[in-house]
């Protein structure tokens, strides 16, 4: 089973455990996660993004300063922008936060429900899923030279046919190299793979 398939399976488990949705930031580096996914109400996500609330979110502040898991109601940090109240207006009445990994590559996951607090057992289950997500999404620090060359051609603007000709390989071989590079970097698209490769100084 590839890591991308395992990620999909774990995200499905997280979705089942979070009736009002979840937000995931895996391996946050330089304020940006290597993998991000959110299933909260799209209207809340739009509102959250438009107001740059990631910079003001008590849950993220807690996650960057602590490791472990906690209910949102137990986070004792200032909330001057009333994010908790605003989130509740979109059905995010109760939630938990899980934070794991070194501070230079931190994973922060939030899960929500509308009806009640999460039980201790539910929190333990979500924390286990979260730590597994963190572990299997550990970014690779190397690619083969063939993978780097393929990504470099596409990053430079070449289409598949032109890149394959430049490298002296078939187009199907080029695509195979791009697929393997995406899998190694835990990227869903070639553009995402290129960005991640740049972040870890491979391109």
């Amino acid at each position: 089973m590839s890591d991308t398939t395992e990620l999909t399976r774990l995200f499905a488990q997280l979705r089942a455990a979070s009736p009002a949705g979840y937000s995931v930031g895996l391996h946050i580096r330089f304020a940006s996660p290597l993998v991000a996914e959110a299933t909260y109400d799209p209207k809340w996500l739009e509102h959250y993004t438009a107001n740059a609330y990631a910079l003001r979110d008590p849950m993220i502040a807690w996650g960057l300063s602590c490791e472990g898991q906690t209910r949102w109601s137990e986070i004792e940090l200032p909330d001057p922008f009333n994010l908790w109240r605003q989130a509740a207006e979109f059905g995010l009445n109760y939630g938990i936060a899980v934070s794991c990994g070194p501070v230079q590559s931190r994973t922060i996951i939030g899960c929500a429900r509308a009806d009640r607090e999460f039980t201790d057992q539910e929190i333990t289950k979500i924390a286990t899923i979260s730590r597994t997500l963190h572990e299997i999404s550990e970014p690779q620090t190397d690619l083969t030279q063939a993978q780097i060359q393929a990504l470099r051609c596409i990053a430079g603007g070449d289409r598949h046919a032109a890149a394959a000709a430049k490298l002296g390989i078939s187009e199907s071989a080029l695509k195979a190299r791009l697929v393997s590079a995406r899998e190694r970097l835990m990227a869903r698209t070639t553009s995402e793979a290129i960005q991640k490769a740049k972040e870890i100084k491979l391109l």
Side-chain angles (χ1 to χ4, degrees):
M1 180 182 293
S2 72
D3 284 346
T4 50
T5 301
E6 181 68 358
L7 271 181
T8 300
R9 186 182 72 81
L10 289 165
F11 280 140
Q13 289 184 7
L14 207 57
R15 187 175 297 110
S18 311
Y22 63 77
S23 64
V24 172
L26 301 178
H27 295 280
I28 299 169
R29 299 177 172 194
F30 308 108
S32 178
L34 291 183
V35 177
E37 178 156 312
T39 63
Y40 294 142
D41 183 329
K43 292 181 180 178
W44 166 245
L45 293 175
E46 182 180 351
H47 179 69
Y48 186 97
T49 302
N51 288 282
Y53 280 162
L55 302 174
R56 304 160 176 172
D57 192 335
M59 187 195 83
I60 293 179
W62 175 88
L64 290 172
S65 60
C66 304
E67 276 195 272
Q69 57 269 353
T70 188
R71 294 178 178 88
W72 291 351
S73 59
E74 296 167 346
I75 294 176
E76 297 180 355
L77 288 174
D79 182 20
F81 293 90
N82 293 310
L83 262 71
W84 297 132
R85 179 185 57 75
Q86 292 184 58
E89 293 174 2
F90 293 85
L92 283 66
N93 297 312
Y94 305 95
I96 65 167
V98 180
S99 174
C100 57
V103 70
Q104 67 270 23
S105 190
R106 181 64 52 89
T107 286
I108 301 174
I109 294 177
C111 298
R113 58 186 309 139
D115 53 346
R116 59 169 175 79
E117 291 277 19
F118 285 89
T119 66
D120 290 346
Q121 184 177 9
E122 289 168 336
I123 293 173
T124 298
K125 178 180 179 181
I126 290 170
T128 299
I129 295 169
S130 300
R131 291 189 179 93
T132 305
L133 279 166
H134 176 81
E135 289 168 8
I136 70 165
S137 61
E138 181 73 36
Q140 297 290 334
T141 57
D142 65 327
L143 291 173
T144 67
Q145 196 58 39
Q147 291 165 340
I148 291 172
Q149 289 173 342
L151 287 176
R152 187 171 286 136
C153 286
I154 301 302
D158 290 334
R159 296 188 178 276
H160 286 174
K166 185 179 291 185
L167 296 174
I169 59 176
S170 68
E171 195 169 339
S172 60
L174 175 82
K175 290 178 180 177
R177 291 183 186 184
L178 294 173
V179 167
S180 62
R182 289 200 302 267
E183 289 179 349
R184 192 163 183 80
L185 294 169
M186 303 294 291
R188 299 181 187 184
T189 66
T190 298
S191 294
E192 188 179 334
I194 290 168
Q195 181 59 38
K196 289 184 176 183
K198 288 179 179 177
E199 289 172 358
I200 56 178
K201 312 300 183 187
L202 293 178
L203 288 183

